[in-house]
């Protein structure tokens, strides 16, 4: 009986196990590097068998994709929250940079793991898989471009995150 199912169709326990595996993948990649982050090593870090990972993820690629997705989503949420407190584009630019750097500083293992995966996980031709699908500078460029369009040159700070 699944009385505690999530919108994903997974139970609370299944979601907790997936979170445990993702956290173990983050630790393993951040501490050992992408090349040494096998499913067996991730399982050892989590204190589970490799078959448990296979039950929750289709394979290493899906697990690593989930690590990148979750880390970038968390960082994006932190940046969006900081931008929401700003009225001018110059404040938004400063808030964007500050929030992203704060996220990196306070979530070092997560950021290292996601960066290692993005840089190292490649297709057969050697192209980084995650760089084919997205432009990592897109959010930053959006803030710059919108500021240029608005002609922002405010000298007073209205952003809660700026001194």
């Amino acid at each position: 009986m699944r009385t505690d199912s999530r919108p994903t169709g997974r139970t609370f326990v299944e979601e907790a196990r997936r979170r445990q595996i993702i956290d173990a993948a983050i630790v393993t990649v951040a501490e050992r590097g992408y090349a040494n982050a096998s499913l067996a090593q991730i399982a050892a870090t989590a204190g589970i068998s490799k078959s448990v990972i296979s039950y929750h993820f289709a394979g290493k690629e899906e697990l690593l994709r989930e690590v990148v997705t979750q880390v970038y989503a968390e960082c994006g949420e932190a940046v969006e929250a900081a931008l929401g407190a700003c009225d001018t584009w110059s404040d938004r630019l400063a808030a964007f940079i500050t929030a992203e750097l704060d996220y990196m500083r306070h979530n070092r293992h997560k950021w290292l793991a996601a960066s290692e995966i993005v840089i190292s996980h490649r297709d057969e031709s050697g192209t980084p898989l995650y760089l084919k699908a997205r432009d990592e500078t897109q959010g930053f460029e959006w803030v710059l471009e919108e500021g240029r369009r608005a002609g922002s040159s405010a000298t007073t700070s209205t952003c809660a995150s700026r001194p």
Side-chain angles (χ1 to χ4, degrees), residues 87-132:
D87 293 328
T88 68
W89 287 103
S90 58
D91 286 344
R92 285 187 180 108
L93 176 59
F96 185 101
I97 294 166
T98 301
E100 196 163 90
L101 291 174
D102 282 347
Y103 180 86
M104 290 177 199
R105 180 175 37 255
H106 297 297
N107 298 281
R108 186 174 183 274
H109 266 73
K110 289 179 180 182
W111 194 257
L112 286 173
S115 297
E116 179 90 8
I117 294 165
V118 166
I119 291 167
S120 302
H121 197 63
R122 298 170 182 267
D123 67 12
E124 311 79 44
S125 68
T127 303
L129 292 175
Y130 299 99
L131 297 180
K132 286 184 353 183

Side-chain angles (χ1 to χ4, degrees), residues 34-35 37-39 42 57-65 121:
Y34 173 83
S38 65
L39 288 180
I42 293 167
F57 296 92
K60 183 177 177 181
E61 185 166 332
E62 181 188 358
L63 173 56
L64 296 181
R65 185 175 41 247
H121 197 63

Side-chain angles (χ1 to χ4, degrees), residues 10 14-22 56-57 66:
R10 296 184 198 105
E14 289 169 333
E15 287 293 336
R17 179 62 82 182
R18 283 176 62 87
R19 182 77 242 155
Q20 176 193 19
I21 295 166
I22 291 167
H56 292 281
F57 296 92
E66 191 62 29

Side-chain angles (χ1 to χ4, degrees), residues 28 37-46 48-50 53:
T28 304
S38 65
L39 288 180
Q41 186 57 52
I42 293 167
T45 301
I48 59 175
S49 71
K50 193 170 128 181
I53 295 175

